Amino acid sequence: MGNAQDKPPGSGGGGGRPDQATAGSGTRNRGGGGAEKPQAQRASGKGVANGSQRGNSPAGGQEERGSPAVDTSYLDAPAGALPPHLGRLKNAGNRLFKHGQFADALQKYTQAIDGCAEAGIDSPEDLCILYSNRAACFLKDGNSAECIQDCTKALELQPYSLKPLLRRAMAYESLERYKKAYVDYKTVLQMDTGVQSAQDSVHRITKMLIEQDGPQWRENLPEIPAVPLSVQLQHRDKPISAEVAQARAARAVAEEARLKDARFTLLKREGNDLVKKGHFQEALEKSICHLKLNRFAEAKQDCDSALQMEPANKKAFYRRALAHKGLKDYLLASSDLQEVLQLDPNVREAEQELEVVTGLLRQSLMDSTAHTPRV
């Protein structure tokens, strides 16, 4: 799995990677857990079960002799500057985390952290990743206090690391320490404005703090650190993953839909107000906007209102015909277009639309006949 710090954090339970952690329950375990045993212990620990000889797997479990070989190549994936035996512990932890085995993953990260201390390894970047990944396990297991401790340690090693900041913010929020959570979320957004979970949390916490402290809520906040420009640029220049690109595209589509609904709501309100005031011609103009937004039922309603007051309004008939066409009611569309041509035989657009609608009506009748079962 490599460097678990290289991908943006997400949320939710179940599987995932350490760089996608959110809250969950558990305690720190510094015991051996699933670690590989020394050679002598492995030899003496072998035995026979159900007629099959078993041996310890690299991840700490067991596998039957004679069964298909388990792929353990992930254990030797690049692991920063860590020596091989500690890199294997880190990679095993990543694998366990990915499969939802958070307690076992926590043990692997703990063994790797302790191994660095015993070997006198001083690699701030690698240790930051290990502490941050173990914090992800604590967060998944609902141990927010331990998560905060590990994130703080990671940030002491590598200040302005995005993932430890985000995880600590989530842990603070779960403990209802909203001011501290707010500060960490805002710091994250200085580095990457595209972290949607941080944006959503800032909005949510702001409302809570306003209710709690009133209009002066900002005065009670701890100081928000200013992220150095070099750090901001480093995150901005970092290529985004396919998952992040898809998430941003989905948010853009959702925002466009929201704006479209907002425009429709405004138009509907304005149209209703104009009808109430007797400005039927202006209300009729609103029907054009509804047609462009494919709001055919609303466009028809506007035209109906105009025709109640002006029964010979050829624009209202024509636009209602377009609305009927959009609603696939070709018979009514044809009727309205014929009304337009009776009022003014020179309306070329109505003639053209009538030809189109007549063809659509004929096709719909043929389709309905073809699907009618024979008796």
Side-chain angles (χ1 to χ4, degrees), residues 310-321:
E310 298 181 39
N313 190 313
K314 61 184 179 182
K315 287 185 178 179
F317 276 118
Y318 180 74
R319 290 170 190 168
R320 192 171 70 173

Side-chain angles (χ1 to χ4, degrees), residues 114-350:
D114 292 345
C116 287
E118 293 169 3
I121 294 173
D122 183 18
S123 176
E125 182 177 358
D126 290 304
L127 283 168
C128 173
I129 293 171
L130 288 171
Y131 277 110
S132 181
N133 286 359
R134 189 170 71 176
C137 297
F138 284 130
L139 195 58
K140 279 288 188 182
D141 283 342
N143 193 336
S144 297
E146 292 276 18
C147 174
I148 291 169
Q149 288 185 20
D150 270 5
C151 289
T152 301
K153 181 64 177 176
L155 291 166
E156 290 172 356
L157 291 161
Q158 292 274 277
Y160 302 112
S161 294
L162 190 145
K163 294 180 181 65
L165 270 170
L166 184 58
R167 288 166 184 159
R168 189 172 70 176
M170 296 165 73
Y172 278 138
E173 186 176 3
S174 71
L175 294 175
E176 299 183 3
R177 299 168 67 178
Y178 297 123
K179 293 183 177 68
K180 287 184 175 291
Y182 181 91
V183 169
D184 278 353
Y185 282 130
K186 290 293 283 185
T187 306
V188 166
L189 290 174
Q190 287 184 64
M191 291 184 281
D192 188 348
T193 57
V195 181
Q196 189 64 38
S197 61
Q199 292 180 3
D200 295 340
S201 296
V202 164
H203 293 317
R204 182 171 58 252
I205 292 174
T206 298
K207 293 179 182 178
M208 295 178 180
L209 292 176
I210 291 174
E211 292 177 1
Q212 176 181 306
D213 298 338
Q216 309 302 320
W217 65 277
R218 292 183 184 276
E219 297 178 3
N220 299 323
L221 287 174
E223 182 179 358
I224 300 174
V227 177
L229 180 59
S230 59
V231 175
Q232 297 182 38
L233 293 175
Q234 178 184 350
H235 283 277
R236 290 173 190 171
D237 294 341
K238 193 172 185 179
I240 62 174
S241 65
E243 294 87 348
V244 173
Q246 290 174 0
R248 290 182 180 178
R251 287 198 298 272
V253 171
E255 179 64 13
E256 177 60 26
R258 186 189 70 78
L259 292 174
K260 188 174 181 180
D261 286 340
R263 288 196 296 268
F264 162 69
T265 301
L266 179 61
L267 286 171
K268 185 174 182 180
R269 186 184 300 117
E270 291 177 352
N272 290 340
D273 290 342
L274 290 169
V275 170
K276 290 177 182 178
K277 294 176 183 178
H279 301 161
F280 299 103
Q281 188 61 35
E282 294 180 51
L284 180 58
E285 296 303 317
K286 293 293 181 184
S287 66
I288 299 177
C289 299
H290 290 311
L291 288 170
K292 289 181 178 178
L293 292 172
N294 295 332
R295 304 282 187 174
F296 302 117
E298 289 76 13
K300 174 186 174 299
Q301 184 178 5
D302 287 342
C303 295
D304 287 342
S305 299
L307 287 168
Q308 286 176 6
M309 299 303 297
E310 298 181 39
N313 190 313
K314 61 184 179 182
K315 287 185 178 179
F317 276 118
Y318 180 74
R319 290 170 190 168
R320 192 171 70 173
L322 297 180
H324 283 311
K325 177 185 174 185
L327 295 169
K328 298 183 179 181
D329 193 335
Y330 305 123
L331 186 59
L332 287 179
S334 175
S335 176
D336 278 348
L337 290 169
Q338 290 176 37
E339 289 285 350
V340 173
L341 293 172
Q342 285 183 5
L343 293 168
D344 186 351
N346 298 317
V347 180
R348 180 61 179 162
E349 294 88 344

